[in-house]
Amino acid sequence: MTGNHFHKFYLIGNPVEHSLSPVMHQLFLSYYKINGDYNALLVQPDEIENVIYKLGAEGAGGINVTVPYKETVMHFMDELSEEAQLIGCVNTIKFENGSLKGFNTDLMGFQRSLPVSVEHQKIVMLGAGGVARAILIAFARGNCSSVSIFNRTISRAESLANEIKTRYPETKITVHPLDETHLTVELANASILINTTSVGMKSVEENRMLVPSPLLHQNLFVYDVIYNPQEPPLIKQAKALGLKYVNGLDMLIYQGLESLKIWLDQDLPFEDSLIHKSRDVLTTKLQNGH
Ligand code: ATR
């Protein structure tokens, strides 16, 4: 698809050994018949700046950035995309004629992964961390009617809500403590429930869900950004109740595809066959104890 040029892509972070990105991007490269490879590099904090410049000098096609460097790398960028500025971190770096441009593809990745429209919908969002920020902006841009944020640390939710409200004043955002009484009220007439917290994630609090199951009603669409395990407690419960649900795997796939699109400057077709194949490959990888 892109001639004979060999494209070298990287993931930088610490740790990186359990990342699914190398397998996923290799799959994308072979699907689109792009001559290239994608490797994960374990980088120490004092090396980060040098590594980025060195990879650029060596002609790398692009870099993905993961924890804990998504915020740090912003300082080394010559330019930041609107999304990277809004979200306050960079997960994709592009080298452009010797300069560095930082992007964030989480927002677009999330938007593409959503199988329902958020327009005029009342949303309950659990969590107020980094992922929540990108998702909240996607909801605001999608003209939802309101977002009720529930977070363990109220002050964090308040500052996120205030910041987004100043940028998107037409979006109604309220903040609530994580307790059953408030959840009961807010969930009663919500149509979307999304978990952006790490509660339910492998080796975090695998068996816990923040919403008592009797509050999950038949009109709810349930989204959990967790993909390992593929069925965290909230998704298991939604499935058992016959609700429509999505886990975090599609967001992972779409944010990766958005990165590749940016690096190649090509409008790659996101065909269903590629999405299905990616889900299968990543599912197998996760089932094998990745
Ligand atoms: P990410 O970048 O993945 O969003 P993060 O910024 O550390 O990660 O945010 C993690 C989210 O999970 C936060 O909303 C966090 O709540 P706090 O702001 O109170 O820390 C939430 N979270 C993590 N562990 C939690 C727990 N045991 N109970 C409730 N919420 C939890």
Side-chain angles (χ1 to χ4, degrees):
M1 189 176 207
T2 53
N4 287 328
H5 180 73
F6 194 85
H7 301 264
K8 291 190 78 68
F9 303 111
Y10 295 91
L11 170 71
I12 56 173
N14 191 349
V16 287
E17 63 267 32
H18 291 298
S19 172
L20 293 173
S21 292
V23 165
M24 184 174 77
H25 276 275
Q26 291 292 357
L27 176 74
F28 297 162
L29 294 174
S30 63
Y31 182 89
Y32 291 118
K33 300 188 173 47
I34 294 163
N35 197 13
D37 63 12
Y38 183 108
N39 290 293
L41 296 179
L42 178 70
V43 177
Q44 300 305 324
D46 58 345
E47 300 170 340
I48 186 83
E49 188 172 4
N50 282 341
V51 166
I52 293 171
Y53 288 122
K54 186 169 157 279
L55 293 176
E58 287 171 5
I63 304 177
N64 273 148
V65 185
T66 188
V67 282
Y69 302 129
K70 287 175 155 197
E71 280 146 33
T72 322
V73 300
M74 287 183 82
H75 306 297
F76 314 134
M77 299 296 115
D78 299 301
E79 209 186 323
L80 289 169
S81 72
E82 191 194 342
E83 279 86 5
Q85 288 177 44
L86 276 171
I87 301 166
C89 65
V90 161
N91 74 345
T92 303
I93 300 174
K94 181 173 184 174
F95 300 99
E96 256 176 2
N97 310 318
S99 76
L100 295 175
K101 184 159 182 192
F103 297 82
N104 190 307
T105 63
D106 285 339
L107 198 158
M108 277 296 280
F110 174 71
Q111 266 174 350
R112 287 197 181 262
S113 74
L114 254 183
V116 297
S117 166
V118 299
E119 197 173 5
H120 309 312
Q121 303 303 305
K122 176 178 163 76
I123 298 162
V124 168
M125 184 171 85
L126 310 172
V131 176
R133 174 178 299 264
I135 289 175
L136 185 56
I137 297 167
F139 288 150
R141 286 185 171 182
N143 293 321
C144 68
S145 89
S146 68
V147 184
S148 311
I149 307 177
F150 285 78
N151 201 45
R152 179 179 57 179
T153 313
I154 280 286
S155 57
R156 199 173 183 200
E158 276 167 351
S159 57
L160 174 65
N162 289 336
E163 195 192 318
I164 304 304
K165 272 195 265 188
T166 55
R167 291 176 197 273
Y168 299 95
E170 65 290 353
T171 307
K172 186 171 169 254
I173 305 173
T174 53
V175 168
H176 310 268
L178 254 177
D179 64 45
E180 190 168 342
T181 313
H182 287 87
L183 280 167
T184 304
V185 173
E186 296 303 313
L187 273 170
N189 53 356
S191 56
I192 298 175
L193 166 65
I194 177 154
N195 175 46
T196 71
T197 76
S198 35
V199 176
M201 201 182 277
K202 190 178 172 190
S203 34
V204 180
E205 290 192 71
E206 269 186 79
N207 299 314
R208 195 173 154 221
M209 57 187 263
L210 295 170
V211 176
S213 25
L215 299 187
L216 302 179
H217 56 75
Q218 287 303 314
N219 298 326
L220 266 186
F221 161 70
V222 177
Y223 193 123
D224 197 326
V225 299
I226 295 173
Y227 56 82
N228 192 13
Q230 283 190 277
E231 288 190 4
L234 180 61
I235 293 294
K236 268 202 188 110
Q237 199 58 41
K239 190 176 176 182
L241 292 168
L243 309 184
K244 196 168 179 188
Y245 64 88
V246 162
N247 73 4
L249 211 49
D250 283 8
M251 181 175 173
L252 175 77
I253 295 168
Y254 283 109
Q255 63 77 33
L257 282 169
E258 291 292 337
S259 294
L260 191 60
K261 239 169 92 168
I262 288 170
W263 293 329
L264 297 174
D265 215 359
Q266 276 183 33
D267 198 11
L268 300 170
F270 292 177
E271 286 153 3
D272 285 349
S273 57
L274 172 60
I275 305 301
H276 288 134
K277 181 112 181 77
S278 305
R279 282 188 200 135
D280 287 350
V281 168
L282 297 178
T283 299
T284 308
K285 195 89 187 147
L286 288 167
Q287 280 165 353
N288 291 337
H290 190 85

